[in-house]
Protein backbone atom coordinates (compact mmCIF):
# COMPACT_ATOMS: atom_id res chain seq x y z
CA UNK A 1 0.00 0.00 0.00
CA UNK A 2 1.41 3.38 -0.95
CA UNK A 3 1.12 6.28 1.46
CA UNK A 4 2.23 8.80 -1.11
CA UNK A 5 0.10 11.88 -0.69
CA UNK A 6 -1.07 10.99 2.83
CA UNK A 7 -3.06 8.25 4.48
CA UNK A 8 -2.33 6.05 7.48
CA UNK A 9 -1.48 2.46 8.14
CA UNK A 10 -1.43 0.44 11.39
CA UNK A 11 1.62 -1.77 11.89
CA UNK A 12 3.06 -3.90 14.70
CA UNK A 13 6.58 -2.77 13.84
CA UNK A 14 8.00 0.06 11.76
CA UNK A 15 11.47 -0.52 10.32
CA UNK A 16 12.76 2.80 9.04
CA UNK A 17 15.46 2.43 6.40
CA UNK A 18 14.87 5.80 4.78
CA UNK A 19 18.47 6.95 4.52
CA UNK A 20 20.40 10.05 5.52
CA UNK A 21 17.34 12.33 5.71
CA UNK A 22 15.28 9.82 7.69
CA UNK A 23 11.89 11.12 8.72
CA UNK A 24 11.69 8.52 11.47
CA UNK A 25 15.03 9.38 13.11
CA UNK A 26 13.57 12.21 15.28
CA UNK A 27 11.44 9.56 17.00
CA UNK A 28 14.59 8.10 18.57
CA UNK A 29 17.09 10.95 18.71
CA UNK A 30 17.34 14.72 18.41
CA UNK A 31 20.74 14.37 16.76
CA UNK A 32 20.83 14.97 13.03
CA UNK A 33 23.71 13.97 10.71
CA UNK A 34 26.41 16.65 10.68
CA UNK A 35 28.37 17.81 7.65
CA UNK A 36 31.85 16.27 7.98
CA UNK A 37 33.69 19.09 6.17
CA UNK A 38 34.32 17.14 2.96
CA UNK A 39 32.37 17.54 -0.25
CA UNK A 40 32.41 15.25 -3.25
CA UNK A 41 31.58 16.36 -6.75
CA UNK A 42 31.06 13.22 -8.74
CA UNK A 43 30.27 11.99 -12.20
CA UNK A 44 30.36 8.79 -14.22
CA UNK A 45 32.67 7.69 -16.99
CA UNK A 46 31.08 5.28 -19.43
CA UNK A 47 33.13 5.82 -22.58
CA UNK A 48 36.11 3.91 -23.95
CA UNK A 49 38.98 3.01 -21.64
CA UNK A 50 41.13 6.03 -20.92
CA UNK A 51 43.90 6.99 -18.48
CA UNK A 52 41.64 6.96 -15.41
CA UNK A 53 39.92 3.76 -16.55
CA UNK A 54 43.25 1.99 -17.07
CA UNK A 55 44.51 2.99 -13.64
CA UNK A 56 41.24 2.21 -11.90
CA UNK A 57 41.37 -1.31 -13.31
CA UNK A 58 38.76 -3.53 -11.72
CA UNK A 59 38.93 -1.70 -8.42
CA UNK A 60 39.68 1.80 -7.25
CA UNK A 61 42.04 4.67 -7.94
CA UNK A 62 43.15 7.12 -5.26
CA UNK A 63 45.01 10.29 -6.28
CA UNK A 64 45.75 12.25 -3.13
CA UNK A 65 47.02 15.79 -2.67
CA UNK A 66 46.89 18.71 -0.33
CA UNK A 67 43.48 18.25 1.35
CA UNK A 68 42.08 17.17 -2.00
CA UNK A 69 41.59 13.86 -3.71
CA UNK A 70 40.41 12.32 -6.93
CA UNK A 71 38.90 8.92 -6.22
CA UNK A 72 37.54 6.53 -8.81
CA UNK A 73 35.67 3.28 -8.40
CA UNK A 74 34.72 0.68 -11.03
CA UNK A 75 31.06 -0.36 -10.91
CA UNK A 76 29.56 -3.70 -11.88
CA UNK A 77 28.19 -2.23 -15.14
CA UNK A 78 31.80 -1.30 -16.12
CA UNK A 79 31.20 2.41 -15.65
CA UNK A 80 33.54 4.31 -13.34
CA UNK A 81 32.34 6.76 -10.74
CA UNK A 82 34.84 9.54 -10.23
CA UNK A 83 34.78 11.68 -7.08
CA UNK A 84 36.51 15.03 -6.76
CA UNK A 85 36.88 15.46 -3.01
CA UNK A 86 37.70 18.71 -1.24
CA UNK A 87 37.60 20.12 2.26
CA UNK A 88 35.24 23.06 1.98
CA UNK A 89 32.30 24.64 3.79
CA UNK A 90 28.90 23.30 2.86
CA UNK A 91 27.07 25.17 0.08
CA UNK A 92 23.64 26.00 1.54
CA UNK A 93 22.25 26.75 -1.92
CA UNK A 94 22.57 23.11 -3.01
CA UNK A 95 21.28 19.85 -1.63
CA UNK A 96 23.00 16.48 -1.57
CA UNK A 97 22.61 14.78 -4.94
CA UNK A 98 21.76 17.96 -6.84
CA UNK A 99 23.12 18.03 -10.39
CA UNK A 100 25.16 21.00 -11.54
CA UNK A 101 23.25 22.60 -14.40
CA UNK A 102 26.35 24.00 -16.10
CA UNK A 103 28.81 21.13 -16.59
CA UNK A 104 31.33 23.37 -18.37
CA UNK A 105 31.41 25.74 -15.39
CA UNK A 106 31.97 22.96 -12.86
CA UNK A 107 34.70 21.50 -15.09
CA UNK A 108 36.44 24.89 -15.05
CA UNK A 109 36.07 25.14 -11.28
CA UNK A 110 37.50 21.68 -10.74
CA UNK A 111 40.42 22.42 -13.06
CA UNK A 112 41.18 25.43 -10.87
CA UNK A 113 40.77 23.46 -7.64
CA UNK A 114 43.08 20.73 -8.95
CA UNK A 115 45.45 23.11 -10.72
CA UNK A 116 48.89 21.55 -11.19
CA UNK A 117 47.65 17.96 -11.00
CA UNK A 118 48.58 15.45 -13.70
CA UNK A 119 46.85 16.54 -16.95
CA UNK A 120 46.22 12.88 -17.90
CA UNK A 121 44.25 12.51 -14.69
CA UNK A 122 42.36 15.77 -15.16
CA UNK A 123 41.43 14.74 -18.71
CA UNK A 124 38.75 12.65 -17.05
CA UNK A 125 36.78 15.88 -16.53
CA UNK A 126 36.03 15.89 -20.26
CA UNK A 127 34.82 12.29 -20.11
CA UNK A 128 32.07 13.14 -17.62
CA UNK A 129 28.81 14.59 -18.93
CA UNK A 130 27.10 15.63 -15.70
CA UNK A 131 28.31 16.32 -12.18
CA UNK A 132 26.51 15.95 -8.86
CA UNK A 133 27.05 17.77 -5.57
CA UNK A 134 27.58 15.39 -2.67
CA UNK A 135 28.52 16.85 0.74
CA UNK A 136 29.25 14.08 3.25
CA UNK A 137 27.36 13.71 6.52
CA UNK A 138 27.78 11.54 9.55
CA UNK A 139 26.10 10.61 12.80
CA UNK A 140 28.21 10.56 15.98
CA UNK A 141 30.12 7.36 16.71
CA UNK A 142 28.45 7.15 20.12
CA UNK A 143 24.68 7.39 20.00
CA UNK A 144 22.13 7.03 22.73
CA UNK A 145 18.53 6.72 21.60
CA UNK A 146 15.47 7.74 23.57
CA UNK A 147 13.09 4.96 24.63
CA UNK A 148 10.65 4.05 21.86
CA UNK A 149 8.30 1.25 21.00
CA UNK A 150 7.48 -0.81 17.90
CA UNK A 151 9.98 1.13 15.79
CA UNK A 152 13.58 0.82 14.80
CA UNK A 153 16.03 2.31 12.30
CA UNK A 154 18.65 0.66 10.19
CA UNK A 155 21.24 1.55 7.58
CA UNK A 156 22.01 5.18 6.92
CA UNK A 157 18.87 6.24 8.79
CA UNK A 158 20.51 4.85 11.94
CA UNK A 159 24.19 5.54 11.34
CA UNK A 160 25.06 7.43 8.16
CA UNK A 161 28.81 8.03 7.97
CA UNK A 162 31.30 9.34 5.43
CA UNK A 163 32.07 6.57 2.93
CA UNK A 164 35.80 6.24 3.64
CA UNK A 165 35.52 2.80 5.19
CA UNK A 166 33.39 1.49 2.30
CA UNK A 167 31.11 -0.11 4.89
CA UNK A 168 27.75 1.68 4.55
CA UNK A 169 25.94 -0.93 2.47
CA UNK A 170 27.58 -3.77 4.37
CA UNK A 171 26.44 -2.37 7.70
CA UNK A 172 22.90 -1.81 6.38
CA UNK A 173 22.75 -5.44 5.26
CA UNK A 174 24.20 -6.67 8.55
CA UNK A 175 21.63 -4.58 10.43
CA UNK A 176 18.86 -6.34 8.51
CA UNK A 177 20.22 -9.78 9.31
CA UNK A 178 20.73 -8.97 12.98
CA UNK A 179 17.29 -7.41 13.30
CA UNK A 180 15.61 -10.52 11.89
CA UNK A 181 17.69 -12.74 14.19
CA UNK A 182 16.70 -10.64 17.21
CA UNK A 183 13.03 -10.67 16.25
CA UNK A 184 13.02 -14.48 16.04
CA UNK A 185 15.29 -15.16 19.03
CA UNK A 186 13.32 -17.10 21.66
CA UNK A 187 15.03 -15.28 24.55
CA UNK A 188 13.30 -12.00 23.73
CA UNK A 189 9.89 -12.10 25.36
CA UNK A 190 8.43 -9.08 23.59
CA UNK A 191 8.87 -7.17 20.36
CA UNK A 192 10.34 -4.20 22.22
CA UNK A 193 12.88 -6.42 24.01
CA UNK A 194 13.98 -7.80 20.65
CA UNK A 195 14.28 -4.29 19.19
CA UNK A 196 16.24 -3.07 22.22
CA UNK A 197 18.66 -6.01 21.98
CA UNK A 198 19.16 -5.38 18.25
CA UNK A 199 19.78 -1.65 18.78
CA UNK A 200 22.25 -2.21 21.65
CA UNK A 201 24.31 -4.52 19.50
CA UNK A 202 24.01 -2.37 16.35
CA UNK A 203 24.90 0.95 17.99
CA UNK A 204 27.77 -0.70 19.83
CA UNK A 205 29.12 -2.23 16.60
CA UNK A 206 28.76 1.08 14.75
CA UNK A 207 30.96 3.01 17.20
CA UNK A 208 34.14 1.46 15.83
CA UNK A 209 32.92 1.47 12.23
CA UNK A 210 32.07 5.20 12.32
CA UNK A 211 35.37 6.01 14.02
CA UNK A 212 37.20 4.12 11.26
CA UNK A 213 35.23 5.90 8.54
CA UNK A 214 36.11 9.28 10.05
CA UNK A 215 39.76 8.26 10.41
CA UNK A 216 39.72 7.17 6.76
CA UNK A 217 38.67 10.70 5.78
CA UNK A 218 41.62 12.10 7.74
CA UNK A 219 43.99 9.71 5.96
CA UNK A 220 42.72 10.41 2.46
CA UNK A 221 42.24 14.17 2.65
CA UNK A 222 45.29 15.38 4.50
CA UNK A 223 47.49 18.45 4.28
CA UNK A 224 50.37 16.00 3.76
CA UNK A 225 48.77 14.43 0.69
CA UNK A 226 49.39 10.70 0.34
CA UNK A 227 51.96 10.48 3.17
CA UNK A 228 49.57 9.57 6.02
CA UNK A 229 48.07 6.77 3.93
CA UNK A 230 51.53 5.47 2.99
CA UNK A 231 52.55 5.59 6.66
CA UNK A 232 49.37 3.75 7.58
CA UNK A 233 50.09 0.91 5.15
CA UNK A 234 53.78 0.69 5.97
CA UNK A 235 53.05 0.73 9.68
CA UNK A 236 55.12 3.88 10.23
CA UNK A 237 52.42 5.30 12.56
C1 LIG B 1 29.91 8.83 -2.22
C2 LIG B 1 29.54 7.59 -1.49
C3 LIG B 1 30.21 6.40 -1.74
C4 LIG B 1 29.86 5.24 -1.06
N1 LIG B 1 30.55 4.09 -1.29
C5 LIG B 1 30.24 2.98 -0.59
C6 LIG B 1 30.94 1.76 -0.80
O1 LIG B 1 31.86 1.67 -1.60
N2 LIG B 1 30.58 0.68 -0.06
C7 LIG B 1 29.58 0.72 0.86
O2 LIG B 1 29.30 -0.28 1.52
N3 LIG B 1 28.89 1.87 1.08
C8 LIG B 1 29.19 2.98 0.38
N4 LIG B 1 28.51 4.13 0.58
C9 LIG B 1 27.45 4.17 1.60
C10 LIG B 1 26.16 3.57 1.07
O3 LIG B 1 25.78 4.21 -0.14
C11 LIG B 1 25.07 3.76 2.11
O4 LIG B 1 25.54 3.42 3.38
C12 LIG B 1 23.88 2.85 1.78
O5 LIG B 1 23.34 3.25 0.53
C13 LIG B 1 22.83 2.96 2.87
O6 LIG B 1 21.72 2.20 2.48
P1 LIG B 1 20.31 2.57 3.08
O7 LIG B 1 19.36 1.60 2.42
O8 LIG B 1 20.35 2.62 4.54
O9 LIG B 1 20.01 4.05 2.60
P2 LIG B 1 19.79 4.60 1.13
O10 LIG B 1 20.64 3.88 0.15
O11 LIG B 1 19.89 6.07 1.22
O12 LIG B 1 18.30 4.18 0.80
C14 LIG B 1 17.21 4.80 1.45
C15 LIG B 1 16.05 4.74 0.49
O13 LIG B 1 14.88 5.18 1.16
C16 LIG B 1 14.16 5.97 0.25
N5 LIG B 1 13.26 6.84 1.02
C17 LIG B 1 13.60 7.89 1.82
N6 LIG B 1 12.51 8.43 2.38
C18 LIG B 1 11.47 7.70 1.93
C19 LIG B 1 10.07 7.75 2.15
N7 LIG B 1 9.53 8.68 2.95
N8 LIG B 1 9.28 6.86 1.53
C20 LIG B 1 9.82 5.91 0.71
N9 LIG B 1 11.15 5.79 0.47
C21 LIG B 1 11.95 6.67 1.07
C22 LIG B 1 15.20 6.73 -0.53
O14 LIG B 1 14.69 7.20 -1.76
C23 LIG B 1 16.25 5.65 -0.73
O15 LIG B 1 16.00 4.89 -1.89
C24 LIG B 1 28.82 5.29 -0.10
C25 LIG B 1 28.13 6.48 0.14
C26 LIG B 1 28.50 7.63 -0.54
C27 LIG B 1 27.76 8.92 -0.24
Amino acid sequence: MSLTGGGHLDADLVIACDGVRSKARPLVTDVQPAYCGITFVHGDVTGPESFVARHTGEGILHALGDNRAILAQRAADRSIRVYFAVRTPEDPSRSQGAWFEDSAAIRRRLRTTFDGWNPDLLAVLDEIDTFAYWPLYGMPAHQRWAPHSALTLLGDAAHVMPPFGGEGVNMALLDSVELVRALFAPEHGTLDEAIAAFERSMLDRMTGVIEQANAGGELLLSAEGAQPLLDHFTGAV
Side-chain angles (χ1 to χ4, degrees):
M1 175 185 172
S2 167
L3 296 180
T4 308
H8 113 246
L9 181 68
D10 291 319
D12 295 324
L13 170 63
V14 174
I15 303 170
C17 41
D18 50 347
V20 58
R21 295 279 158 240
S22 172
K23 295 241 177 358
R25 187 186 296 114
L27 297 170
V28 304
T29 176
D30 293 335
V31 179
Q32 287 295 314
Y35 175 56
C36 78
I38 298 171
T39 288
F40 283 2
V41 172
H42 71 74
D44 294 327
V45 173
T46 54
E49 298 286 287
S50 59
F51 180 87
V52 160
R54 278 202 313 282
H55 288 85
T56 301
E58 297 303 311
I60 57 173
L61 172 152
H62 283 174
L64 309 180
D66 170 15
N67 278 319
R68 289 162 294 166
I70 298 176
L71 313 168
Q73 188 175 28
R74 177 80 72 173
D77 67 359
R78 307 293 307 152
S79 68
I80 295 175
R81 177 148 291 186
V82 184
Y83 302 98
F84 300 86
V86 287
R87 289 190 184 277
T88 184
E90 203 175 358
D91 178 350
S93 70
R94 295 180 201 281
S95 54
Q96 191 187 52
W99 295 100
F100 289 92
E101 279 171 19
D102 187 345
S103 294
I106 190 67
R107 267 186 213 106
R108 278 195 301 276
R109 238 171 79 189
L110 288 169
R111 281 193 192 283
T112 306
T113 304
F114 289 87
D115 186 33
W117 285 45
N118 183 332
D120 289 337
L121 189 58
L122 292 183
V124 76
L125 284 166
D126 296 318
E127 299 172 43
I128 298 170
D129 289 332
T130 47
F131 296 83
Y133 175 71
W134 210 278
L136 302 176
Y137 300 97
M139 290 295 282
H142 295 272
Q143 291 195 64
R144 194 171 294 169
W145 288 357
H148 52 278
S149 181
L151 163 83
T152 194
L153 271 56
L154 53 79
D156 278 9
H159 46 62
V160 64
M161 58 192 159
F164 299 111
E167 291 285 21
V169 172
N170 302 305
M171 291 301 106
L173 292 172
L174 187 55
D175 292 349
S176 318
V177 171
E178 291 192 345
L179 176 59
V180 170
R181 284 198 179 133
L183 290 173
F184 287 95
E187 68 264 28
H188 303 313
T190 66
L191 180 65
D192 284 344
E193 279 173 26
I195 293 171
F198 158 69
E199 289 175 354
R200 266 195 308 279
S201 159
M202 184 249 304
L203 293 176
D204 189 43
R205 154 169 53 84
M206 287 311 300
T207 296
V209 179
I210 291 174
E211 283 172 351
Q212 271 188 12
N214 293 334
E218 297 306 311
L219 278 182
L220 291 184
L221 273 90
S222 142
E224 288 84 43
Q227 197 56 49
L229 188 68
L230 292 172
D231 291 345
H232 176 77
F233 281 123
T234 55
V237 287

